[in-house]
Amino acid sequence: MEIYTLTDEKRRKILSKLKYNQIQTLSDFTMYKAKSEMITKDFVIANDWKLADIREDAFWNLRSMDNNQGKKIPKLKCECGKNLRYQYILRSSSGKELKLGVTHFAQHAGIP
């Protein structure tokens, strides 16, 4: 079985032909392994913070195209207001929740 990487343009063409539920299923499938590994390893950010979830904007690649179904779906946002492709959800032991992009997530995790 040969494996090859699609260009951004080819990926957008394929995604633009899929229906909402197909795109969502593809996103769920591709994020499953990443979520499992990071959450199972009990990725502790600080003493009272834990990684609760990772979300992907399945329509990220389609948002720049005209007349696509992704424009009607709410965007993922960081606490700072930036639009995100991947959103990391952190939950404290007191129940507080933070929704962060990769840069702010790395800062909380102490990743240089």
Side-chain angles (χ1 to χ4, degrees):
M1 181 171 149
E2 188 176 335
I3 298 173
Y4 59 96
T5 304
L6 297 174
T7 64
D8 248 4
E9 185 179 329
K10 287 181 181 178
R11 190 176 296 113
R12 282 186 193 153
K13 279 184 179 180
I14 292 169
L15 288 173
S16 69
K17 295 176 184 176
L18 298 177
K19 295 180 180 165
Y20 171 82
N21 61 343
Q22 292 172 314
I23 293 172
Q24 195 60 52
T25 301
L26 181 61
S27 174
D28 292 346
F29 178 76
T30 56
M31 290 301 296
Y32 177 77
K33 186 174 182 180
K35 285 182 182 182
S36 294
E37 287 183 19
M38 291 185 82
I39 293 171
T40 304
K41 289 180 182 178
D42 196 27
F43 196 54
V44 177
I45 307 306
N47 291 337
D48 62 337
W49 289 94
K50 299 222 185 258
L51 179 65
D53 197 7
I54 304 169
R55 296 181 185 149
E56 177 188 27
D57 182 350
F59 296 92
W60 179 263
N61 287 322
L62 295 176
R63 290 196 188 276
S64 62
M65 298 174 67
D66 292 333
N67 300 325
N68 76 73
Q69 55 192 329
K71 290 190 179 205
K72 297 177 183 174
I73 309 299
K75 296 176 182 176
L76 298 177
K77 299 252 184 205
C78 182
E79 294 289 326
C80 70
K82 182 180 176 186
N83 291 334
L84 303 172
R85 180 174 189 169
Y86 299 102
Q87 185 182 61
Y88 299 86
I89 312 295
L90 305 179
R91 206 165 282 128
S92 73
S93 55
S94 65
K96 185 177 178 186
E97 191 173 88
L98 287 175
K99 297 176 180 179
L100 305 171
V102 67
T103 303
H104 288 134
F105 173 70
Q107 288 173 349
H108 278 272
I111 300 169

